[in-house]
Amino acid sequence: MPTHTSLNLLPILPASIIALVAIGLFALLAHGCLVLLRKQVPPRWVAILAAVRVGIVLVFLLALLQPIASYALSSKLLPDLLVLVDTSRSMGPATSATGEAVGGKTRLDEAVATLREGKLIPELRKSYNVHYFAVDRTATPVDDEGLAKLKPVGDTTRFSDSLTSAWDFQRQAAASNTGVEMRPQRAILLSDGNDLGSTDLVETARELGVAVDVLPPGDAGPGRTPARVVIASVQSPRRVLLGSETRIAVTLRREGTPDSAMAVTLVEGGKTIATQDVAFDKGQTEQLVVVAHRPSEAGIKQYELRLAPKAALQAPAPSAAKTPAKTPAQTQADKEKENAGPLPYRFSVQVLDARNETLILQDVWRWDFKFIRRVFEDDPSFAFTAMLTRGGATYVQYAEADSHLRLSGFPQSRTELGWFDTLYLVDPNIRRWPKGLPSAVAGLVRDEGKSLVVLAGPNIGQWMENPELATLLPVELSPDTATPVPGPIDVHLTADGASSPFFINPTAAKAAPPPAPAPGTPGAPAAAAGASGASGAADLPPLDQIYPVLRKRPAATILLEASKHANTYGPIIIMAEQTVGRGRVLFVGTDTLWKWHTLGEPNDAGLTPFAVFWQQAFRALAPARPTPGGVTLNLQPQRTRYEAGQRVSLSAQILSDRLLPEPRIQATVTLPDETQIPLAFAPDPAKPSSYRADFEAAGPGQYRVNALLTAEGKTAADMLVALDVDQPRSELATAGVDRDALARIASMTGGRVINPTDATTWPTKDNPQPLTIARTHSLDLWGNFTLLLLLAALLTADWTIRLIRGYT
């Protein structure tokens, strides 16, 4: 219904002249009526002619006034939904250049059938304006008819570039069609998840403000994916201490039903240093294998993980007998078979020749000290010094025999705390601390990169009285936090916790279904999105009590939750960690974690879940060694792994407690063939004290970047970083549908993993409210000939009446 109607006049003559014309015309009209009456024209016809002529005069006067009528109409615009359909060659059997299916439908055929034949799109159209895009290198808009004609012929897949292209196109199209700039806030990605782009889709989606839902296609037909075992993901530390046990977690995925038994080997310099057999149970599709190794030399070590049948490892060397020459077709078949097999995974680890010093401050004697002490004594890479209260201001100091650090008493200043790499605080009584000690702890973590571990207890409420310390925690406290929740408390390992270095050992945390969050809590959607990759803690014993925190901080990572206890923000957090400035903080919301030692089942090495967790936690928290003089150079690559041909981007940041005069970063890149090339760092205009540089990784192998920071002609700091560059992947050398990568995209962008047959996974209820806009319409009565036609019609009526009646 029209609203806000108005009438604007743009007279072509001055108003006074128009008024005189109106008076003259009405005077003539009155004179004409008198003349007709004198001629004895019936009064009825005189009245009719007078009415027609009054209309003529009024229309003529309106024409002189040039009226323009304006009115507004309100309408609702549905939000735009981008449907990105992957048309690269990996979406089909890809046995020919045209991507024609052989022996069945392609993945693209199945994806398009889901859109055209299912109920998903009709339901989405009730809440969104759905727009289709065919994506490979970029995005191309297609209509419903064009959707059915798509073929998997794209030579590469670039999710980030495609999303950016589709987002820009639809934003400009909406502005052109509606006059309102509407930015798409949701997209559905139909793909096998094999992204070959150089930019992470998650980063791009976050910058654009787009939630990405994913719709994985099914494997197209029998035999689409060969029966094999592939390396799905590898988790390894980037920095370890010399002599410490390094655990490398390898996730293997079984596709089909391979008959042969497999083995994972860890290779360094062409020499096998560890081997782990792989055994899949019936019906099991994924297996987590941990390979352990103790490096014996310091430096940057390049390792390689290989996956092969056990028979191949035990097979004798091939004989030197002459083999018949192979035809070109056989040679090509061998290459394709080789590409389809598991490729080796290469990674680098920096081995540091230094001991990590840990300070334990414990104001109340607790059982866990005797167990945590054993963890340090069994690991030669860590040394501890403990200050335990004996009542009042009396403390007893414990330390390892070979520790070179000794305190004269309870630490009083930042200098004494600065001797240690990790601070382990067990329910500290902050009110009894020296006045400047809380500020010293906060400064060491933020500015000098120290690590902090906080175990909650009855004194945890004191942290709320000290904002400087409270902001270090990865969780927000409440007045109820100091009151423990009695147990037994069953625990659940989150998906982030299962993939973190804190819980890398599967014998300490085996997979279990995640708990269902409380209805209506904010954690419910996130739990649903990440259910496929979540792991639980079925083998972790329950806790006697926990100290309930309110919620996590925005940048924190939740590691452990209560399975059956929740508040308005979701399951109660038991363990969380976050980066604060240059340091890291781990929060443990219980003082009964030692139950994992007394009640937990030891693994094959005789280690309890308590010992395994703390060994991994202290390694994960081990800070980088600071350089002398309080100056540190941080060198960070944009990505952890690259492929040959990609551009490597490096970011360098100078951290110093004083202003460095004329700082300069000199760097060289050592290529895999030991050739060195200079690397120029330029200041980053967006970030102070930061510099950027990039170079092209021409071939696969290990690239070492050695950066040197100089000031006033003197060396202030240096940094060595190793990068692993793999062979470039192709569209045909993929490992089937990468559902883990798709689930990661959905969970990290706020999207969902869509099941076409399960309406509860559809994003029909997640859309924003329609945008209501009021459009103003103008009606020029003279410009559109309305008044002219009306005037002509009235003049014709007057002339017709006089002609028929014989009035002259």
Side-chain angles (χ1 to χ4, degrees):
M1 179 179 294
T3 59
H4 302 91
T5 58
S6 62
L7 184 66
N8 298 319
L9 301 177
L10 300 174
I12 60 178
L13 295 175
S16 57
I17 295 178
I18 294 176
L20 291 176
V21 171
I23 294 172
L25 290 176
F26 280 112
L28 291 175
L29 176 61
H31 176 72
C33 291
L34 292 175
V35 171
L36 291 176
L37 290 174
R38 289 176 186 157
K39 293 183 175 181
Q40 298 182 352
V41 173
R44 177 170 171 269
W45 288 103
V46 172
I48 293 175
L49 288 173
V52 173
R53 291 173 180 178
V54 167
I56 293 173
V57 172
L58 292 177
V59 172
F60 178 72
L61 293 176
L62 282 176
L64 295 179
L65 293 174
Q66 293 286 298
I68 298 179
S70 299
Y71 60 93
L73 289 178
S74 297
S75 59
K76 293 184 178 180
L77 297 180
L78 294 176
D80 291 323
L81 175 66
L82 310 178
V83 180
L84 311 179
V85 183
D86 186 357
T87 58
S88 60
R89 286 190 290 173
S90 65
M91 288 292 288
T95 56
S96 64
T98 60
E100 294 295 332
V102 175
K105 293 183 178 179
T106 65
R107 290 176 181 156
L108 180 59
D109 293 335
E110 293 188 350
V112 170
T114 301
L115 298 178
R116 292 173 56 85
E117 301 172 5
K119 298 180 180 180
L120 174 63
I121 294 301
E123 287 297 322
L124 290 175
R125 291 190 188 277
K126 298 177 182 179
S127 305
Y128 297 93
N129 286 324
V130 179
H131 307 277
Y132 295 121
F133 291 86
V135 301
D136 43 29
R137 288 181 176 271
T138 185
T140 304
V142 295
D143 54 16
D144 291 342
E145 294 183 0
L147 187 67
K149 301 177 182 178
L150 295 178
K151 296 293 182 182
V153 295
D155 59 348
T156 189
T157 308
R158 297 178 181 175
F159 288 163
S160 177
D161 295 344
S162 298
L163 177 62
T164 302
S165 177
W167 188 86
D168 285 337
F169 176 89
Q170 191 54 44
R171 179 176 60 87
Q172 296 176 13
S176 176
N177 296 333
T178 66
V180 179
E181 182 176 351
M182 296 183 61
R183 300 184 177 185
Q185 299 180 13
R186 202 165 198 95
I188 296 179
L189 175 64
L190 279 78
S191 174
D192 55 2
N194 296 301
D195 184 14
L196 303 182
S198 59
T199 306
D200 190 1
L201 175 62
V202 172
E203 297 178 4
T204 303
R206 287 175 173 175
E207 292 176 0
L208 300 179
V210 177
V212 181
D213 304 298
V214 296
L215 179 54
D219 286 333
R224 173 61 182 89
T225 302
R228 60 182 176 177
V229 178
V230 296
I231 298 177
S233 64
V234 175
Q235 180 182 314
S236 63
R238 299 187 62 182
R239 182 180 63 253
V240 299
L241 297 174
L242 181 65
S244 65
E245 186 179 62
T246 303
R247 292 190 178 97
I248 301 145
V250 186
T251 302
L252 305 176
R253 181 185 298 118
R254 180 172 66 174
E255 300 173 351
T257 54
D259 297 330
S260 58
M262 307 294 290
V264 177
T265 58
L266 181 64
V267 179
E268 179 187 2
K271 180 181 178 181
T272 300
I273 56 178
T275 301
Q276 183 71 37
D277 294 340
V278 180
F280 284 89
D281 296 333
K282 184 178 180 180
Q284 187 180 16
T285 58
E286 285 194 359
Q287 174 79 333
L288 182 62
V289 177
V290 175
V291 181
H293 169 60
R294 290 183 181 271
S296 58
E297 295 181 357
I300 294 181
K301 303 297 180 181
Q302 186 176 34
Y303 299 101
E304 186 176 285
L305 281 169
R306 298 176 182 175
L307 179 63
K310 293 180 62 177
L313 299 177
Q314 301 170 358
S319 64
K322 185 177 180 180
T323 57
K326 295 184 178 181
T327 64
Q330 291 174 328
T331 303
Q332 179 64 24
D334 291 343
K335 291 182 178 180
E336 292 179 358
K337 182 177 180 181
E338 180 181 355
N339 289 336
L343 300 176
Y345 184 98
R346 298 177 179 87
F347 62 98
S348 299
V349 176
Q350 185 176 9
V351 182
L352 304 176
D353 185 10
R355 299 189 71 187
N356 190 289
E357 295 285 348
T358 301
L359 174 63
I360 301 176
L361 297 181
Q362 188 166 316
D363 288 331
V364 178
W365 186 274
R366 297 180 184 275
W367 275 99
D368 64 333
F369 176 70
K370 62 182 296 187
F371 304 124
I372 197 71
R373 176 179 181 176
R374 179 62 61 86
V375 172
F376 286 107
E377 291 174 346
D378 291 344
D379 196 328
S381 301
F382 291 87
F384 82 94
T385 300
M387 299 296 296
L388 275 66
T389 183
R390 281 300 189 186
T394 303
Y395 285 86
V396 177
Q397 183 174 174
Y398 293 86
E400 295 185 63
D402 55 350
S403 176
H404 64 280
L405 294 179
R406 290 293 187 273
L407 295 173
S408 58
F410 191 86
Q412 302 290 316
S413 66
R414 178 167 177 164
T415 301
E416 292 174 288
L417 294 178
W419 297 341
F420 300 91
D421 302 294
T422 303
L423 305 178
Y424 182 92
L425 309 181
V426 183
D427 189 27
N429 189 342
I430 301 175
R431 295 170 184 166
R432 295 172 51 187
W433 278 12
K435 185 177 181 180
L437 205 59
S439 298
V441 171
L444 288 171
V445 173
R446 288 195 180 94
D447 303 333
E448 297 189 18
K450 305 294 184 180
S451 296
L452 175 65
V453 180
V454 179
L455 265 68
N459 295 321
I460 190 63
Q462 298 180 15
W463 288 70
M464 299 178 63
E465 303 172 6
N466 193 309
E468 196 168 15
L469 282 180
T471 55
L472 296 178
L473 298 179
V475 293
E476 295 182 11
L477 307 179
S478 71
D480 297 331
T481 303
T483 303
V485 176
I489 306 293
D490 294 329
V491 297
H492 161 64
L493 190 61
T494 66
D496 291 333
S499 61
S500 72
F502 294 90
F503 290 95
I504 194 175
N505 194 326
T507 61
K510 295 183 180 179
T521 61
S532 61
S535 296
D539 287 359
L540 295 179
L543 303 172
D544 283 355
Q545 61 183 17
I546 60 173
Y547 294 86
V549 299
L550 185 63
R551 58 182 177 181
K552 82 177 190 72
R553 296 192 183 275
T557 300
I558 302 174
L559 305 177
L560 199 67
E561 297 175 332
S563 299
K564 301 176 182 178
H565 295 74
N567 57 19
T568 55
Y569 295 97
I572 294 179
I573 300 171
I574 299 177
M575 195 178 296
E577 66 96 12
Q578 73 171 354
T579 299
V580 181
R582 295 170 55 193
R584 295 182 70 182
V585 179
L586 172 65
F587 173 81
V588 181
T590 180
D591 52 3
T592 61
L593 202 65
W594 55 273
K595 288 285 187 177
W596 288 3
H597 182 84
T598 58
L599 300 180
E601 181 181 354
N603 60 12
D604 296 338
L607 298 176
T608 64
F610 180 87
V612 171
F613 166 73
W614 282 117
Q615 283 183 355
Q616 296 168 169
F618 284 117
R619 288 192 184 94
L621 293 170
R625 292 289 169 182
T627 56
V631 181
T632 302
L633 177 63
N634 281 347
L635 197 61
Q636 186 68 36
Q638 186 183 40
R639 305 177 68 179
T640 57
R641 300 187 68 82
Y642 288 86
E643 293 181 3
Q646 291 182 339
R647 200 76 179 169
V648 179
S649 297
L650 296 167
S651 175
Q653 186 178 17
I654 300 174
L655 302 174
S656 174
D657 52 7
R658 59 186 177 88
L659 182 63
L660 296 179
E662 300 181 0
R664 182 183 178 187
I665 299 178
Q666 300 174 333
T668 58
V669 180
T670 303
L671 306 182
D673 60 358
E674 299 302 324
T675 302
Q676 292 187 345
I677 59 174
L679 185 63
F681 277 87
D684 188 348
K687 298 179 181 179
S689 301
S690 296
Y691 299 79
R692 297 192 66 85
D694 53 22
F695 65 92
E696 184 175 351
Q702 185 187 75
Y703 290 71
R704 301 191 301 276
V705 181
N706 194 347
L708 185 68
L709 172 63
T710 60
E712 297 181 316
K714 300 179 180 179
T715 300
D718 59 2
M719 177 62 69
L720 178 63
V721 172
L723 301 170
D724 297 298
V725 178
D726 298 330
Q727 288 281 5
R729 294 178 295 166
S730 68
E731 283 294 327
L732 302 183
T734 60
V737 179
D738 194 342
R739 300 182 185 276
D740 291 339
L742 293 174
R744 168 185 171 271
I745 293 172
S747 62
M748 298 189 70
T749 60
R752 295 173 172 233
V753 179
I754 297 176
N755 183 350
T757 61
D758 185 0
T760 60
T761 64
W762 301 352
T764 53
K765 304 299 183 182
D766 299 337
N767 61 302
Q769 293 297 323
L771 177 63
T772 302
I773 62 173
R775 298 179 180 177
T776 302
H777 299 267
S778 298
L779 185 61
D780 187 353
L781 299 178
W782 178 258
N784 62 6
F785 304 105
T786 299
L787 293 178
L788 180 61
L789 294 175
L790 182 57
L791 181 61
L794 292 174
L795 289 172
T796 301
D798 181 82
W799 178 79
T800 302
I801 293 173
R802 289 188 293 109
L803 179 64
I804 294 175
R805 301 296 299 179
Y807 305 142
T808 58

